[in-house]
Amino acid sequence: MIKKLIVPVFLFFTLISFAQQGTSSPYSFYGIGDVKFKGTAENRAMGGLTIYSDSIHLNFQNPASYSNLKLTTFSLGGTYLTTNLSTNSQSEKARRTAMDYLAVGLPLGKLGVGFGLMPYSSVGYNIQSTVAATATNPQEIKQYTGSGGINKVFLGLGYALSKKLSVGIDYSYNFGKIQTYSFRFIEGLQYGSREKNLSDVSGGTLTAGINYTTPINKKLNGFASLTYSPDSKLSSSNSRNIATIQYSSTGAEILVQPSDIDVANTTLTIPSKLAVGFGVGQNKKWMLGTEITFQKSSAMGNRFNDINDVNYENSTRFSLGGFYIPNYNSFSKYYEKITYRAGLRYENTGLIVNTTSIKDYAITGGLGLPLIGVFSNINIGIEYGQRGTTSAGLVQENYTNITIGLSLNDKWFQKRRFY
């Protein structure tokens, strides 16, 4: 079943990943956009916690986890996003639907392999500001829009050095286009101005990971996880076009005197990142853990170097979460086999706008629903949080994200025996 699904779904997802607009955040204007991927549906339901690995779920954040797979795993996830954007004077609501990941994990003895495709960052905003007319100046209208983002394909390997210790490495190739527009119209003038910026971004990244599991007593196990990604560079090929515009009676945009402007290509830095986590739990029963992630975000920059009022600082993210399964082996009561997940997340994003640090925090929860008769499952998560602030002329985002992940499991590479 899984083999028949993989090729058409990969092709379908490839088309969607280029076309979708997975954010409505004005903060996606900066850097490479809004970094979207925060783990699978299972991870996100536990506050983004990634320290736990099992035999039937993929954990993309730590490649060492692939060595724990016992079944071939096909994983697909998507999110429905609802965001309320507020300033001191007004508010708007935005909705988006986005694919989060598509991947396959293969168990090969002590070696595990994972590969797939996912959006890495997304740009998507539509902002209009109006400067009221005064005695000396007419009304001025400014509009800003952006779209696009960066996708990544990845290949990861995990190897079990022992029953307790696994190591892994992941290589990702990032690619995508980001397009932004700004418009300016002044009351009483026939023409307005339009600036179009286009960036073609590409480059590779590496991640190394370690997983360690050890018995504490007859029932409890201790878990530890460490991942590290060194600095990596993305090449951004940039272009800019400026034009005078007007609109026809049907609303179509008419360009007058378009002109290409020479702008420099830039090299963007994806900063180094270190994540360390610890947890304790009972096999197939419960787990509670915490994780802290440090990222040297102060090394980040913008695609164009002429953006004012923005800086970067090192970022930190704290995650606390876990899961509980009432009775993994229950035959008569389905609800006892459900995995119940919950968590908390707090993050200093590293972005500073108008001298104000942008923070992001959320509470999360979710369910893992097993499919009867097989090891496959559907994972549903909800994330309610807040990013930004209405102070300093900024935007506050109150968001609700509903994530659905599908994990299909099967046995491959086994010899058939006939009697």
Side-chain angles (χ1 to χ4, degrees):
M1 176 183 175
I2 297 179
K3 298 177 185 178
K4 295 180 180 178
L5 282 174
I6 288 178
V7 173
V9 174
F10 254 104
L11 292 174
F12 177 69
F13 182 81
T14 302
L15 294 174
I16 291 178
S17 63
F18 282 104
Q20 68 175 345
Q21 191 178 85
T23 184
S24 56
S25 173
Y27 298 114
S28 67
F29 171 77
Y30 303 104
I32 58 174
D34 187 7
V35 177
K36 296 299 299 174
F37 185 71
K38 297 179 175 66
T40 62
E42 307 92 85
N43 299 142
R44 292 178 66 174
M46 297 187 293
L49 197 67
T50 63
I51 65 172
Y52 185 80
S53 303
D54 61 33
S55 61
I56 60 173
H57 291 96
L58 291 175
N59 180 355
F60 307 125
Q61 304 287 57
N62 189 339
S65 66
Y66 297 137
S67 65
N68 293 326
L69 292 175
K70 302 302 181 186
L71 298 172
T72 297
T73 302
F74 173 74
S75 191
L76 171 69
T79 300
Y80 176 73
L81 310 90
T82 301
T83 307
N84 292 315
L85 302 105
S86 304
T87 65
N88 283 325
S89 58
Q90 57 185 326
S91 63
E92 294 288 343
K93 180 176 287 188
R95 294 181 176 88
R96 298 287 189 272
T97 301
M99 300 295 292
D100 290 332
Y101 54 87
L102 175 70
V104 176
L106 303 175
L108 302 172
K110 291 185 178 182
L111 179 68
V113 179
F115 58 91
L117 170 68
M118 63 184 66
Y120 178 74
S121 71
S122 184
V123 175
Y125 57 88
N126 191 348
I127 304 170
Q128 177 171 307
S129 65
T130 301
V131 180
T134 65
T136 56
N137 296 304
Q139 176 179 272
E140 182 179 358
I141 299 174
K142 296 180 179 180
Q143 296 176 348
Y144 306 91
T145 63
S147 61
I150 298 176
N151 301 286
K152 75 173 185 177
V153 291
F154 68 92
L155 172 66
L157 303 174
Y159 185 78
L161 297 175
S162 67
K163 291 183 178 181
K164 294 182 178 182
L165 182 64
S166 298
V167 296
I169 191 166
D170 174 287
Y171 175 78
S172 300
Y173 180 73
N174 309 278
F175 61 96
K177 295 180 184 295
I178 298 173
Q179 189 166 269
T180 62
Y181 290 88
S182 62
F183 301 88
R184 182 168 177 257
F185 302 92
I186 297 177
E187 185 181 21
L189 296 183
Q190 180 182 2
Y191 299 103
S193 62
R194 187 226 62 189
E195 179 181 295
K196 173 185 175 182
N197 293 306
L198 177 65
S199 297
D200 194 337
V201 183
S202 62
T205 56
L206 281 173
T207 299
I210 300 174
N211 267 348
Y212 182 74
T213 303
T214 185
I216 297 176
N217 55 37
K218 290 183 178 180
K219 287 188 176 181
L220 298 182
N221 291 317
F223 307 97
S225 172
L226 183 146
T227 59
Y228 176 72
S229 301
D231 284 347
S232 57
K233 303 297 183 182
L234 299 180
S235 298
S236 180
S237 178
N238 305 318
S239 64
R240 174 173 291 168
N241 180 272
I242 295 177
T244 302
I245 65 170
Q246 67 175 153
Y247 290 100
S248 67
S249 58
T250 60
E253 182 181 293
I254 302 174
L255 298 182
V256 181
Q257 298 177 340
S259 176
D260 291 326
I261 303 297
D262 288 333
V263 290
N265 296 330
T266 50
T267 299
L268 304 175
T269 298
I270 294 184
S272 61
K273 182 168 66 173
L274 174 68
V276 181
F278 303 93
V280 63
Q282 183 178 341
N283 189 36
K284 298 181 181 180
K285 187 66 176 181
W286 64 272
M287 188 278 298
L288 179 65
T290 185
E291 189 171 25
I292 182 170
T293 303
F294 305 96
Q295 189 167 29
K296 196 176 179 181
S297 303
S298 58
M300 292 185 67
N302 293 294
R303 302 181 306 279
F304 295 85
N305 293 321
D306 54 0
I307 299 177
N308 300 319
D309 301 323
V310 59
N311 293 291
Y312 295 93
E313 62 184 349
N314 293 337
S315 66
T316 307
R317 183 178 70 188
F318 299 92
S319 296
L320 174 68
F323 69 82
Y324 174 71
I325 307 172
N327 185 359
Y328 181 83
N329 294 315
S330 177
F331 290 100
S332 58
K333 298 178 180 179
Y334 177 80
Y335 67 88
E336 290 189 346
K337 300 179 67 173
I338 294 175
T339 302
Y340 300 87
R341 302 182 175 101
L344 301 169
R345 174 175 55 80
Y346 172 82
E347 181 177 3
N348 173 17
T349 65
L351 178 65
I352 304 174
V353 183
N354 294 342
T355 70
T356 301
S357 297
I358 305 302
K359 308 292 177 57
D360 186 350
Y361 55 89
I363 58 174
T364 64
L367 302 173
L369 306 174
L371 301 179
I372 301 300
V374 293
F375 288 103
S376 301
N377 51 83
I378 298 173
N379 298 285
I380 302 172
I382 187 168
E383 189 176 33
Y384 177 76
Q386 179 180 299
R387 176 166 57 174
T389 175
T390 56
S391 64
L394 301 178
V395 177
Q396 178 176 297
E397 303 172 8
N398 294 298
Y399 58 84
T400 301
N401 299 332
I402 298 175
T403 303
I404 298 178
L406 179 63
S407 183
L408 297 175
N409 306 99
D410 198 0
K411 285 188 176 182
W412 289 12
F413 312 116
Q414 59 180 343
K415 293 182 179 180
R416 302 286 183 178
R417 293 186 178 183
F418 300 92
Y419 295 95

